[in-house]
Amino acid sequence: LITGLISCSAMQTDKEIYKGEKLNIAVVGKIPEINEKESTINFKKLSLKDIKKIDPKSYDAVIITKPYLSKAANKKYKDTYLNGQIPFFFVESKGSILPFVDNSLTYKQYADRVNDTQSYIVGVLGNPNGDNYNTWQYDYAIKNDKFDRTDVKDIYSRVFKTVEKVKKEKRS
C-alpha cells in the first residue's frame, strides 16, 4: 500500500515569518491567525465537499482544521489528498497523517492508537505516478523542556515555506 514515505519534522523556537511569493490557500474551517500579511497569504474558505473538485491552478495548498478532521478522513477524500496536485495540511490531527492516506480505520481509531500530541500540523502530498507520497510534521515549539502550545503562528510560517518550495518544484 505505501511504497515510499518521506517525512520531515520541524521543531524550532525562533520567530519565523514567511516572506516568499504570494500563496493562495484554501481553508476548511476557521481561518488561522498568522504572522504574515494578507498581501502574502490569501486564504479562501471552502467547504469540505468542495475539496474534491478543487482547482489546483487556483490554490497552492489546503488546510483542514481540527473540527473537520473526522469527516476529512472519509475514504471518499483519500484520492484527492494523494493525487499529487497540491499539499493538504491537517491541524491538530491526533492520528497524524494515517487517517487521510489509509482508510482501514476510522479517524477516532487512529487518534486513539497514535495519540500524536506533539505535532500541531501534519501534511501530505501524493505522487500522481505511484503509491508513494511526501509527508510533513510540524511540532509545537519546546520551551523549558515542555511543548509550548500557546503560539502556533510560527508553525504556519513554516508550513507556508513548505508550500512555496512545493510550488517552485512543480514549476521546474
Side-chain angles (χ1 to χ4, degrees):
L1 174 71
I2 302 170
T3 58
L5 183 66
I6 301 169
S7 179
C8 65
S9 177
M11 248 195 280
Q12 294 173 304
T13 54
D14 300 336
K15 289 282 180 207
E16 292 196 37
I17 295 181
Y18 169 76
K19 295 178 179 146
E21 62 185 81
K22 182 172 182 156
L23 300 175
N24 294 306
I25 299 179
V27 178
V28 177
K30 185 178 179 238
I31 302 289
E33 292 183 26
I34 59 173
N35 292 323
E36 290 75 14
K37 306 270 186 257
E38 284 182 28
S39 60
T40 308
I41 305 297
N42 178 38
F43 288 123
K44 170 112 165 82
K45 284 188 84 154
L46 283 183
S47 70
L48 187 59
K49 66 178 189 245
D50 287 340
I51 66 167
K52 282 188 63 127
K53 58 182 186 244
I54 194 164
D55 179 6
K57 291 181 180 81
S58 299
Y59 298 98
D60 301 307
V62 177
I63 294 173
I64 300 176
T65 61
K66 186 177 180 180
Y68 296 90
L69 295 179
S70 186
K71 288 182 181 169
N74 186 302
K75 65 182 175 187
K76 68 183 174 185
Y77 299 113
K78 178 182 171 187
D79 288 343
T80 303
Y81 306 141
L82 296 180
N83 73 8
Q85 297 293 313
I86 57 175
F88 283 81
F89 296 93
F90 305 92
V91 179
E92 292 187 80
S93 172
K94 287 196 174 217
S96 189
I97 208 69
L98 293 170
F100 313 105
V101 298
D102 176 41
N103 301 116
S104 57
L105 299 174
T106 66
Y107 174 79
K108 184 176 180 347
Q109 289 169 319
Y110 272 122
D112 289 345
R113 287 183 183 191
V114 176
N115 195 25
D116 183 354
T117 57
Q118 73 182 33
S119 300
Y120 180 66
I121 296 176
V122 294
V124 65
L125 174 65
N127 178 350
N129 302 321
D131 288 340
N132 60 334
Y133 47 86
N134 292 341
T135 65
W136 299 276
Q137 178 178 326
Y138 302 90
D139 297 340
Y140 291 100
I142 295 179
K143 290 185 183 164
N144 301 325
D145 295 330
K146 293 186 176 155
F147 290 115
D148 176 13
R149 293 178 168 83
T150 57
D151 184 10
V152 295
K153 292 179 182 179
D154 291 351
I155 296 174
Y156 283 102
S157 296
R158 294 195 309 260
V159 168
F160 302 148
K161 289 176 183 180
T162 297
V163 172
E164 180 186 46
K165 184 178 178 214
V166 168
K167 185 176 178 179
K168 286 180 176 177
E169 287 171 358
K170 277 175 43 181
R171 274 193 235 133
S172 57

